[in-house]
Amino acid sequence: MSQIAQIICSQANAEHCDLFIYESQKDHFRLVGTTHQHEKIGVLKINSNTLMNDPHTIKLEYNGKLTGAIALRNPKNLPAIDNLLEELAFSLWWLDRFTELENTAERYHNMSQLTDAFYSYDDQDELKKEMVKVVAKILRADMVLFLEKISENYVFTAGFGIDRNQLLIESIPQSHPFISKIEKSDSGILNIKTQIDFASIPVKSLIAVPLRLQDRILGVLIAINKISEEGYRTRYSFDEFDLSTLHEVARRISLAYTRLEYQNNLKKEIEKLKSYTKRYEDMIKQQQLYLKKMDLVHNISNAMRASYDPNNVYKILLLGLTSGRGLGFNRALLLLRDRKTETLFGKIWLGPSSEEDITKIWREAERRAMSYGDFSQYLREEALMLDISNGLTKKIEGKMFHYKDHPVFERVVLRRKLIHITPPLAKSMGEAVKDLTNLLETEEFAVVPLIGKWDTIGVLILDNKFTGNPISEIDTEVLKIIADSAGLTIENATNYEELRKKTESLEQQKNMIDYLRKFSESILQNLTTAVIVIDRQGKVLECNKRVEQLLGLPKERVIGSAYTDFGEAFQDVFGVAMKVFERGETITLSRYRIETANGERFFDTKYSPLWDIAGSSMNGVIVTLEDVTDQYLLEQERKDKEKLALLGEMSARVAHELRNPITVIGGFLNRLKKNISDSQARERYLNILSNEVDNLQNIVSEILEFSRSARNIDESKFQINELIEEVAFFMQEKAARNKINLEFMLSPLQEVVADRNRIKRVLINLVQNAIEATPQGGRIILKSQQDQDRVLVSVFNTGEPISEENLRKIFVPFYTTKTYGTGLGLPICKKIIEDEHGGRIWAESKPEGTEFKFEIPIKREGE
């Protein structure tokens, strides 16, 4: 084009020439050739009105259609280029037309391939992936998105040239303005120089159409930005032809979707037909099996009705259930109901003890059954010879189950429901059925009610422990029928004499239970110790008169109330009972202080689990509170007297400790008087006097510290490990001078509530003693660990271990093995730890050294 511009410029005898092509889509001219400013070719665009109003511009038209323009500067021979301009206008028109026809031909060719490609896919996901690739190829699009409609949202499911990371919103609501506009359009939308708010991509132009399948919308198809090709082109953005092409592509995709849906529906229908056929065959087999088992039920019922001995009826029933020729269960357990005690007790348990035994038993039973005329006769004869005194029956002798609160037996006995426990159900019920799974040693079994005329008289438990065969629906249906028949038969077999004896026995048992209850109640109410029983919900089940006096409430107000209703003081002491449910162990607390209505009292408290008869379930916690206030006060008084007596005994030692510095002070005061004029001697004597006064003051301070009664401590919340590291930092220099290595073995600890400065004093004393007792090159190890609600700290040093005799005396006031010191350091530590913080301090000799340990309780702020 620049060459053509040069020819026109030369023939028109002009200064320079610019050649423009008209782009009708955007109504502007683009520079495509020039005799100067070549860098603007293809870049410079001029609005059509601006260019046409320029007097130097000549329009190029063909058949009334604007194709381009020539801008000449100072032409001197315009007529010379008339023919050239006509041919140029025609050439520009033809190039535009040719390009358009070429693109159209290519698109239709791709469209024909599109149909073949789409109909070769049998999977919708694969179709989506291929769909965006083909659309991008046909439209020469930079990016293609398919947003699939799922419920009320549009979700990105396939894309070309774009991935999920470029999307700002993965799920776009149907109400979104852009999506809504596409949905409502019949043939789609065309936007140039727009922007979409759900993707972080620049958009120069886009086209979008809805993908419809009959009356519903599958999603929307969006093509973004036309790919820039080599050389000049008349269209840089999508146009109406592109939109109509995308609409046609969408229509063909919809047809492909329709085909896939029909194929999928057809496959589903075929699968359904196969499933129905299989189910029909299974139903026939089940019906045959059901009829066979119903015949067995009839024989078992006939055999039971022929006997009037309840024990014999029990045997016939269990034989029929476990016989290989019968219903074939591995084991059958019979529990009979005791209405008086509201329990189920073990009667007979029939079955083998191993899988080998079951095969052997079934084979032998089958052999014997062949000698009888019918199965009913076989059951009657076998029951008479069956010995149940050993085997499994031994394991359930005396075994009882309380059914009222039992999750399984309550439904079976009281609601008369058959329950089939499967492994998943047993796992979900956990501890609730632990008593049964432990007894049966299997997690699948059926529990069947034996229903008499008016009520449940017992329970059957059946399992297939050894063969592992699942208990089917047919089995449960058959069991329901045979259980009804067996219940009535057992009930009818019980004669009036048995009923009379049972009534007398029950009456005697009732009287005995009443007596025992009253006797226990009398003992409970007359105890001087407060006794209260709390359940898992924290409610009071029982209490005695001592509790009424303690709480200041009548028994009627206490029982049924939550322990949290008794005020903050009792809420803490009774709250410990909840920990017993977690641990399952007895908890004992000594000298527990409670602010009662009668003032401060001290109690020894004990929290004991209340187990059921089987010992498998905890029904509550028994809390006993024994008032030991008098003993506590006597002990405190005794300790004070002992301390005073000890101070009296130690007064001589105190006098001796004080006499030494006083003697030194007196001697050097006399020397000072004699040498008062000697400044050097005076300075030396004054320093000695000052040091001895400090020594005297330290001795007096330690004696006062030890003799002072327990002080109020300044509690704060802090981390013991941080305090250990702080003290070690202070003592590091002293340890280094003696070439002693300080080591740490600190475990993660909870924060404690204590007097930080007092605990720090204990640590400093123990570390200092360890440094003084450790030889050069030795080691000192600082340890910490947590034991439930207490923190344990130890200071170990290598060297000569302390003898057993000295171990017994090291915490005795004024006792020391050093040539200096008062011997009060460790007694003061003992006072801080034990008297002020309720902890414990002690020392242990090891083969390689000595270890001092102390522990203090972890408390919460405010305790």
Side-chain angles (χ1 to χ4, degrees):
M1 288 296 178
S2 293
Q3 290 176 2
I4 293 172
Q6 187 66 46
I7 293 170
I8 293 173
C9 184
S10 175
Q11 291 191 11
N13 196 14
E15 291 181 9
H16 59 80
C17 174
D18 292 328
L19 175 57
F20 297 90
I21 286 183
Y22 177 63
E23 296 178 350
S24 58
Q25 185 180 11
K26 296 185 179 178
D27 192 26
H28 64 218
F29 288 87
R30 186 183 299 272
L31 180 67
V32 294
T34 182
T35 59
H36 70 298
Q37 295 181 330
H38 290 280
E39 71 277 1
K40 293 186 178 182
I41 292 177
V43 177
L44 179 63
K45 295 177 288 186
I46 301 177
N47 182 272
S48 60
N49 290 332
T50 303
L51 190 63
M52 289 297 97
N53 291 329
D54 189 337
H56 301 98
T57 300
I58 302 172
K59 293 193 293 183
L60 298 175
E61 293 180 319
Y62 179 76
N63 286 340
K65 182 179 179 182
L66 185 62
T67 61
I70 295 291
L72 291 171
R73 177 66 63 183
N74 297 326
K76 297 182 177 59
N77 189 10
L78 283 176
I81 61 173
D82 287 344
N83 292 334
L84 183 59
L85 292 180
E86 275 186 32
E87 291 192 17
L88 181 58
F90 170 75
S91 297
L92 292 178
W93 172 85
W94 171 247
L95 284 173
D96 180 58
R97 181 64 178 158
F98 176 80
T99 302
E100 183 178 346
L101 290 173
E102 187 178 42
N103 290 339
T104 302
E106 183 181 356
R107 288 188 188 182
Y108 280 116
H109 175 70
N110 289 335
M111 291 284 281
S112 65
Q113 292 181 338
L114 171 71
T115 303
D116 295 338
F118 285 173
Y119 276 87
S120 64
Y121 286 97
D122 293 327
D123 180 75
Q124 286 189 355
D125 291 333
E126 293 296 324
L127 177 63
K128 293 171 194 173
K129 292 178 184 177
E130 184 64 20
M131 169 180 71
V132 293
K133 290 180 184 177
V134 172
V135 170
K137 179 180 178 182
I138 293 174
L139 298 177
R140 294 181 180 175
D142 190 27
M143 287 169 279
V144 177
L145 294 83
F146 177 58
L147 302 178
E148 187 172 2
K149 187 174 184 182
I150 299 175
S151 186
E152 299 298 322
N153 296 310
Y154 282 80
V155 180
F156 177 86
T157 55
F160 177 84
I162 186 171
D163 57 35
R164 294 181 187 277
N165 296 330
Q166 294 173 275
L167 296 179
L168 302 176
I169 309 172
E170 286 195 23
S171 180
I172 307 168
Q174 185 179 358
S175 58
H176 189 280
F178 180 74
I179 298 297
S180 179
K181 184 178 178 182
I182 300 173
E183 274 191 344
K184 293 176 182 178
S185 66
D186 292 329
S187 57
I189 61 171
L190 167 64
N191 284 333
I192 298 174
K193 287 187 177 179
T194 185
Q195 188 59 41
I196 51 178
D197 60 0
F198 54 82
S200 59
I201 53 175
V203 179
K204 297 178 182 178
S205 65
L206 69 79
I207 51 177
V209 296
L211 196 63
R212 301 180 188 276
L213 183 59
Q214 296 175 356
D215 295 331
R216 62 189 176 97
I217 295 180
L218 299 174
V220 295
L221 201 56
I222 305 171
I224 301 174
N225 297 341
K226 204 168 184 69
I227 295 175
S228 299
E229 302 173 17
E230 293 287 336
Y232 171 77
R233 60 193 184 283
T234 58
R235 295 175 180 84
Y236 289 81
S237 304
F238 292 119
D239 55 19
E240 292 292 340
F241 183 69
D242 293 320
L243 180 60
S244 65
T245 303
L246 183 59
H247 185 268
E248 176 62 21
V249 169
R251 188 185 67 81
R252 298 190 184 199
I253 293 170
S254 297
L255 291 175
Y257 259 94
T258 303
R259 179 184 63 83
L260 286 178
E261 279 204 346
Y262 283 150
Q263 285 181 345
N264 289 336
N265 289 338
L266 184 59
K267 287 180 181 178
K268 289 178 182 177
E269 291 300 323
I270 292 172
E271 290 299 323
K272 281 184 182 179
L273 185 59
K274 290 180 179 178
S275 175
Y276 290 149
T277 303
K278 180 70 168 59
R279 286 172 58 188
Y280 180 70
E281 292 173 351
D282 291 342
M283 286 174 62
I284 292 174
K285 291 179 182 178
Q286 288 180 352
Q287 288 297 323
Q288 291 173 342
L289 180 61
Y290 184 72
L291 291 173
K292 178 182 177 182
K293 291 195 174 186
M294 286 303 297
D295 183 56
L296 291 172
V297 169
H298 177 69
N299 286 317
I300 295 170
S301 298
N302 286 341
M304 286 191 296
R305 283 196 296 269
S307 176
Y308 295 97
D309 180 0
N311 288 322
N312 208 42
V313 172
Y314 303 152
K315 295 179 190 178
I316 291 171
L317 173 61
L318 299 190
L319 274 172
L321 292 170
T322 58
S323 171
R325 189 176 171 185
L327 295 179
F329 287 97
N330 290 179
R331 300 181 303 176
L333 168 61
L334 174 63
L335 303 175
L336 293 181
R337 181 183 181 184
D338 187 336
R339 292 179 180 79
K340 183 177 179 181
T341 59
E342 295 183 338
T343 58
L344 295 170
F345 62 90
K347 185 64 178 177
I348 301 177
W349 195 359
L350 193 61
S353 56
S354 68
E355 189 171 355
E356 292 78 12
D357 288 344
I358 195 170
T359 305
K360 181 180 178 183
I361 290 170
W362 279 358
R363 192 174 297 149
E364 178 63 21
E366 185 69 22
R367 186 188 62 78
R368 289 200 305 270
M370 296 298 293
S371 62
Y372 291 96
D374 57 36
F375 190 55
S376 297
Q377 183 184 0
Y378 163 75
L379 291 176
R380 291 194 298 272
E381 297 294 334
E382 285 292 313
L384 292 172
M385 297 184 291
L386 183 63
D387 181 12
I388 57 169
S389 58
N390 295 313
L392 291 175
T393 302
K394 275 282 187 184
K395 294 178 66 175
I396 58 165
E397 283 185 358
K399 197 78 173 174
M400 299 177 70
F401 299 90
H402 291 271
Y403 55 78
K404 265 202 168 181
D405 297 324
H406 198 284
V408 175
F409 290 137
E410 187 271 339
R411 291 190 62 192
V412 176
V413 175
L414 301 181
R415 304 186 198 180
R416 307 180 190 179
K417 300 291 185 182
L418 183 150
I419 295 183
H420 178 198
I421 300 294
T422 60
L425 181 57
K427 187 176 181 181
S428 67
M429 295 180 74
E431 292 296 326
V433 294
K434 202 71 175 177
D435 54 349
L436 288 177
T437 54
N438 285 343
L439 174 66
L440 301 173
E441 298 177 348
T442 181
E443 292 187 338
E444 182 172 11
F445 51 90
V447 187
V448 187
L450 292 172
I451 303 171
K453 187 175 182 181
W454 307 109
D455 207 353
T456 305
I457 63 172
V459 167
L460 276 174
I461 303 178
L462 301 110
D463 65 69
N464 290 322
K465 175 188 175 183
F466 303 113
T467 60
N469 295 333
I471 299 174
S472 65
E473 283 189 34
I474 291 179
D475 291 331
T476 57
E477 290 300 319
V478 169
L479 287 173
K480 288 177 184 177
I481 296 170
I482 198 169
D484 289 341
S485 174
L488 291 171
T489 304
I490 292 170
E491 194 171 58
N492 291 333
T494 306
N495 56 41
Y496 291 109
E497 183 62 24
E498 284 180 320
L499 288 175
R500 186 185 63 79
K501 289 180 180 180
K502 190 173 184 180
T503 302
E504 290 178 358
S505 175
L506 290 173
E507 190 64 33
Q508 291 173 2
Q509 290 180 27
K510 181 178 180 300
N511 293 336
M512 180 60 69
I513 290 172
D514 288 343
Y515 169 76
L516 292 174
R517 182 181 58 79
K518 291 176 182 178
F519 183 71
S520 300
E521 181 71 16
S522 177
I523 293 174
L524 178 66
Q525 296 304 326
N526 287 284
L527 286 174
T528 57
T529 301
V531 180
I532 190 169
V533 182
I534 298 174
D535 67 8
R536 287 184 179 273
Q537 286 71 43
K539 292 186 177 181
V540 178
L541 298 176
E542 186 57 85
C543 69
N544 65 354
K545 289 180 181 179
R546 189 71 184 90
V547 173
E548 298 180 51
Q549 297 168 2
L550 193 62
L551 298 176
L553 295 171
K555 185 175 181 178
E556 294 75 17
R557 288 274 305 280
V558 175
I559 292 179
S561 299
Y563 72 85
T564 53
D565 298 338
F566 302 143
E568 186 174 347
F570 291 101
Q571 179 177 334
D572 291 341
V573 70
F574 291 142
V576 179
M578 295 299 103
K579 294 185 178 295
V580 178
F581 285 110
E582 299 173 9
R583 300 181 183 178
E585 299 174 352
T586 299
I587 297 176
T588 303
L589 300 177
S590 300
R591 304 300 190 264
Y592 196 100
R593 176 182 168 276
I594 301 177
E595 282 289 342
T596 69
N598 298 323
E600 182 182 63
R601 307 298 292 176
F602 294 87
F603 294 87
D604 282 350
T605 59
K606 188 172 184 179
Y607 306 84
S608 305
L610 177 61
W611 298 98
D612 62 5
I613 294 176
S616 59
S617 177
M618 193 189 305
N619 298 328
V621 174
I622 304 170
V623 183
T624 60
L625 297 92
E626 185 175 358
D627 192 336
V628 293
T629 306
D630 294 339
Q631 295 94 310
Y632 176 80
L633 294 177
L634 286 172
E635 285 178 10
Q636 294 302 312
E637 185 178 349
R638 178 180 57 78
K639 287 181 180 178
D640 291 341
K641 289 180 179 179
E642 286 178 355
K643 186 175 289 187
L644 288 173
L646 182 62
L647 286 174
E649 292 173 5
M650 299 301 172
S651 58
R653 297 185 190 180
V654 172
H656 176 73
E657 291 293 334
L658 295 176
R659 185 183 298 117
N660 289 336
I662 290 173
T663 301
V664 173
I665 290 171
F668 277 95
L669 279 174
N670 292 329
R671 291 187 186 185
L672 181 61
K673 288 178 183 178
K674 294 177 182 179
N675 299 280
I676 194 69
S677 59
D678 187 346
S679 61
Q680 290 184 351
R682 185 173 66 248
E683 182 68 24
R684 186 169 65 255
Y685 294 157
L686 286 174
N687 285 336
I688 293 171
L689 289 171
S690 177
N691 291 336
E692 288 302 319
V693 169
D694 289 342
N695 185 26
L696 185 62
Q697 186 174 358
N698 289 334
I699 293 171
V700 172
S701 296
E702 286 193 348
I703 293 171
L704 290 175
E705 171 70 22
F706 176 72
S707 61
R708 188 184 295 121
S709 59
R711 56 185 279 180
N712 292 327
I713 60 176
D714 183 14
E715 288 188 337
S716 64
K717 194 174 185 179
F718 64 94
Q719 176 57 254
I720 283 283
N721 284 342
E722 293 178 1
L723 185 59
I724 293 172
E725 292 172 349
E726 181 181 322
V727 170
F729 178 76
F730 294 151
M731 308 300 292
Q732 182 68 46
E733 184 177 351
K734 184 174 182 179
R737 286 199 301 269
N738 295 329
K739 298 181 180 179
I740 296 170
N741 189 32
L742 289 179
E743 301 176 8
F744 301 91
M745 295 178 65
L746 306 180
S747 302
L749 305 176
Q750 291 185 22
E751 290 185 324
V752 300
V753 177
D755 190 325
R756 193 178 191 276
N757 290 329
R758 302 289 282 170
I759 301 299
K760 182 177 179 180
R761 179 169 180 175
V762 173
L763 279 169
I764 290 174
N765 190 291
L766 295 180
V767 175
Q768 185 168 301
N769 287 350
I771 292 174
E772 293 170 355
T774 305
Q776 283 196 357
R779 298 160 56 219
I780 294 176
I781 303 174
L782 302 173
K783 298 181 185 178
S784 70
Q785 65 185 73
Q786 183 171 326
D787 182 14
Q788 295 182 351
D789 57 352
R790 305 181 77 81
V791 167
L792 175 66
V793 178
S794 71
V795 180
F796 170 80
N797 68 276
T798 58
E800 186 69 26
I802 298 177
S803 66
E804 288 296 326
E805 182 180 354
N806 287 339
L807 275 178
R808 291 193 294 270
K809 299 178 181 179
I810 55 175
F811 289 104
V812 175
F814 301 103
Y815 175 79
T816 179
T817 58
K818 304 176 184 177
T819 57
Y820 57 88
T822 63
L824 291 176
L826 287 175
I828 290 174
C829 289
K830 183 178 181 71
K831 177 182 177 184
I832 292 172
I833 294 298
E834 296 187 356
D835 295 348
E836 296 179 4
H837 289 84
R840 187 166 70 99
I841 186 168
W842 71 98
E844 296 176 0
S845 286
K846 306 286 185 180
E848 64 277 9
T850 304
E851 185 171 22
F852 280 82
K853 299 180 180 180
F854 72 85
E855 62 179 18
I856 58 174
I858 298 172
K859 298 194 297 183
R860 297 185 295 274
E861 287 185 292
E863 286 188 349

